[in-house]
Amino acid sequence: MPSFTVQVLLGLGLGVLLGWIALRMGPVNAEGDANWLTTTLSEIGSAFVTLLRAIVPPLVFLAIVASIANLRQVTNAARLAGQTLLWFAITAAISVAVGITLGLVFRPGARTTLSTDEAVEPGTTGSWLDFLNGLIPGNFLGLGGETSVEAGADGALSADTSIDFNVLQIVVIALVVGIAALRTGTAAEPFLAFSRSALAVVQKVLWWVIRLAPLGTLGLIGRAVATYGWDLLGPLATFAVAVYTGLVVVLLVVYPVLLRANGLRVGAFFRGAWPAIQLAFVSRSSIGTLPVTQRVTERNLGVPGSYAAFAVPLGATTKMDGCASIYPAISAITVAQLFGVDLSVLDYLLIAFVSVVGSAATAGLTGAVVMLTLTLSTLGLPLAGVGLLLAIDPILDMGRTAVNVAGQALVPAIVAKREGILDVARYESGSAEDLFRDEVAEARDERATTDVTDATVPAREESAGLRP
């Protein structure tokens, strides 16, 4: 059987091919309803992301509680948290500087055929109070609901309610529960033992879900090709090129420089983090990719689990170099150019400030559009400019999410190396196959035990006179 990496690459290639075929088939009717192949690819991809998202709440909660229990042996826990937040800010500052530079060089707002008459204000906006709203749990499970009401063709109203979870709130809940368990002492030992046992079960389920990644990749990339194609890029081609140039510079220039500056091999990082980066690109979801990101950070990059369980979930909600730094910087400059607004040096400093601090302010409402509206409102630019950029947002979101996730794995690796807790040998040798190292070893041991049992039981039965 091909290795896991080869399986994912095959899924990626086959997905592109099937997506192209679905795109050529076109819609099934004049209303633009998707054909059967596009629908099938969409269902496969959505099912895979849904499975990953379903495993996030128990994984984050149990991993953080278990890691806090292990902090009794860690003397620099507060320093690790401080260093993590510091490096989040450092990489965000560098990323927004890249975005501002490219916005001034490419001048995408001055090179578009779009008219500001087409501008429509977005329905969702960002606010500096969102951080507090997202930080304080509304319930013990960190769940939230949203109801939308639509009118049917016959005028009848129908309500649709969706339930989602807030990862940042789950992190807060898990931290409080874990600290309380430590302060409780021996009475909490059964609870901590249960948490460790439950975490092992959840990780086993996660392994089964990740094994479906090649199939999920096929569906996700196929849906993207079939749904979006490249026809939408025309009027915003310069803007798209500027954004992707910034993403490539951060991913393949800035991150490697930071790795080398901290004594880490660049090739080893990308080889180990590849499964998460690839999945983030096709799924367009940092939260959906979170289980894989945490697993590669521990298994492939050698970051201790007790630290990764804190840093990776926190990064998935507040560490977004693609969505919260590069994209808002270039987009704000583009909107200003579209509406003929001249930005001052103070405005560029405000863009940098919002990008570094604002990702925390929008942690309760994740998404590049939310972050962009926060940036525009802070600068006093028309929010209607967001509507002009949304046509190609799905295409840009693929690259943005890949850079987000790469940064979420990068910072824990750098901090662990600087603090002397990184398993350098595992970092140097990590690969996609190491995602399943323990499970494969367990399966091999089980087979060996079964073989020995099958060979010895007949002999024992014969010696006991139970066999003729």
Side-chain angles (χ1 to χ4, degrees):
M1 178 181 293
S3 67
F4 180 74
T5 303
V6 173
Q7 292 177 36
V8 171
L9 291 175
L10 289 174
L12 187 65
L14 186 57
V16 171
L17 175 61
L18 292 177
W20 179 80
I21 294 173
L23 183 63
R24 299 288 293 178
M25 291 170 62
V28 295
N29 54 38
E31 284 72 28
D33 293 333
N35 57 63
W36 68 269
L37 182 54
T38 300
T39 302
T40 302
L41 292 170
S42 180
E43 289 298 324
I44 293 174
S46 298
F48 177 65
V49 174
T50 300
L51 287 173
L52 281 173
R53 290 176 64 87
I55 207 73
V56 167
L59 176 68
V60 171
F61 180 83
L62 294 171
I64 290 180
V65 171
S67 67
I68 289 178
N70 295 330
L71 288 180
R72 286 174 289 191
Q73 289 81 38
V74 179
T75 57
N76 59 342
R79 177 178 170 82
L80 282 174
Q83 287 291 308
T84 301
L85 295 176
L86 175 62
W87 278 94
F88 280 0
I90 290 173
T91 52
I94 297 174
S95 299
V96 72
V98 171
I100 291 174
T101 301
L102 292 175
L104 295 175
V105 171
F106 280 86
R107 294 184 55 79
R111 299 179 181 179
T112 179
T113 58
L114 289 176
S115 170
T116 54
D117 296 336
E118 306 171 29
V120 179
E121 291 198 16
T124 304
T125 59
S127 165
W128 289 102
L129 295 177
D130 289 334
F131 176 68
L132 293 178
N133 295 330
L135 191 65
I136 301 174
N139 53 73
F140 182 74
L141 299 177
L143 293 174
E146 182 177 348
T147 301
S148 59
V149 180
E150 296 182 357
D154 57 354
L157 298 178
S158 61
D160 182 30
T161 301
S162 60
I163 302 296
D164 203 354
F165 54 85
N166 187 311
V167 176
L168 187 60
Q169 291 183 4
I170 296 175
V171 171
V172 172
I173 294 169
L175 286 171
V176 172
V177 172
I179 294 172
L182 282 184
R183 298 297 298 270
T184 302
T186 56
E189 286 301 324
F191 171 75
L192 294 176
F194 168 79
S195 298
R196 288 189 288 267
S197 178
L199 177 60
V201 174
V202 169
Q203 288 175 332
K204 177 66 72 173
V205 175
L206 172 60
W207 174 54
W208 294 339
V209 175
I210 294 176
R211 277 295 189 184
L212 299 174
L215 185 61
T217 298
L218 181 150
L220 289 165
I221 196 66
R223 178 188 63 183
V225 173
T227 303
Y228 307 118
W230 298 102
D231 295 337
L232 298 174
L233 284 176
L236 292 168
T238 304
F239 172 69
V241 170
V243 171
Y244 264 96
T245 300
L247 296 173
V248 170
V249 168
V250 170
L251 184 64
L252 300 182
V253 177
V254 174
Y255 287 173
V257 168
L258 293 176
L259 288 167
R260 292 298 298 272
N262 288 278
L264 295 171
R265 287 201 307 117
V266 176
F269 171 78
F270 283 106
R271 185 174 63 247
W274 154 253
I277 296 173
Q278 171 268 329
L279 179 60
F281 182 82
V282 297
S283 69
R284 297 170 47 210
S285 173
S286 293
I287 299 301
T289 311
L290 172 58
V292 181
T293 308
Q294 184 166 328
R295 199 168 179 93
V296 300
T297 303
E298 297 177 20
R299 296 289 184 88
N300 298 358
L301 302 181
V303 177
S306 57
Y307 168 51
F310 160 78
V312 177
L314 181 64
T317 55
T318 61
K319 172 62 181 165
M320 299 177 285
D321 289 341
C323 290
S325 297
I326 301 169
Y327 178 75
I330 297 177
S331 298
I333 293 173
T334 300
V335 171
Q337 293 167 352
L338 279 168
F339 286 87
V341 178
D342 292 327
L343 298 179
S344 64
V345 175
L346 178 60
D347 291 325
Y348 292 121
L349 291 176
L350 277 175
I351 292 176
F353 173 79
V354 174
S355 298
V356 173
V357 180
S359 57
T362 58
L365 295 170
T366 56
V369 174
V370 173
M371 185 64 196
L372 176 56
T373 58
L374 178 64
T375 305
L376 295 181
S377 60
T378 303
L379 294 172
L381 293 172
L383 292 181
V386 177
L388 298 173
L389 308 179
L390 290 181
I392 61 170
D393 191 70
I395 296 174
L396 302 180
D397 197 30
M398 299 171 76
R400 291 192 311 241
T401 309
V403 172
N404 291 346
V405 169
Q408 292 158 17
L410 174 91
V411 169
I414 289 178
V415 172
K417 176 63 165 59
R418 294 175 66 90
E419 296 299 313
I421 60 175
L422 184 72
D423 186 340
V424 178
R426 175 171 287 193
Y427 176 92
E428 294 288 343
S429 61
S431 69
E433 306 311 311
D434 289 340
L435 284 174
F436 315 108
R437 180 191 300 120
D438 294 348
E439 286 80 1
V440 171
E442 290 175 4
R444 187 167 52 246
D445 293 341
E446 289 176 2
R447 286 196 300 270
T449 302
T450 301
D451 292 342
V452 170
T453 302
D454 292 342
T456 56
V457 167
R460 291 174 181 172
E461 291 179 347
E462 185 175 353
S463 64
L466 299 178
R467 282 177 176 264

